[in-house]
Amino acid sequence: MTEPVIAQKKPIIVELEAGKEYWWCACGRSKTQPFCDGSHQGTGIEPLCFREEKGGKRGMCCCKHTATPPYCDGTHKTLGD
Ligand code: FES
């Protein structure tokens, strides 16, 4: 399996709708971060499907190294240049 690439070293804040299903990009190659656009094909990495419960603003991981996907946990601050 290919390693995920770092889309950016900070989260993207998005407004999520309650009860809606989303596909979070886990490979880092999507042009529509933080969501999957199909660019993972051939990498062996699959997007993460999740359903937003409450709705509201969320910090979505874009470094793809979070321990709490799809959400940012601050891991991007520990990644080197
Ligand atoms: Fe990254 Fe689909 S484009 S997981």
Side-chain angles (χ1 to χ4, degrees):
M1 187 173 98
T2 314
E3 290 294 307
V5 298
I6 297 170
Q8 65 177 40
K9 287 186 185 170
K10 58 182 179 182
I12 292 179
I13 309 297
V14 293
E15 185 91 32
L16 300 178
E17 284 180 44
K20 190 171 171 186
E21 199 170 81
Y22 295 91
W23 292 87
W24 174 74
C25 168
C27 77
R29 292 165 175 79
S30 173
K31 299 285 185 272
T32 58
Q33 292 294 330
F35 303 113
C36 173
D37 71 354
S39 298
H40 60 270
Q41 281 207 350
T43 65
I45 301 174
E46 294 293 323
L48 173 70
C49 181
F50 69 101
R51 184 180 298 278
E52 169 63 20
E53 299 294 332
K54 293 187 286 189
K57 287 199 170 105
R58 299 279 184 272
M60 311 301 294
C61 171
C62 288
C63 77
K64 312 305 174 183
H65 288 72
T66 180
T68 58
Y71 307 108
C72 173
D73 69 352
T75 296
H76 60 273
K77 293 176 192 155
T78 69
L79 302 175
D81 290 328

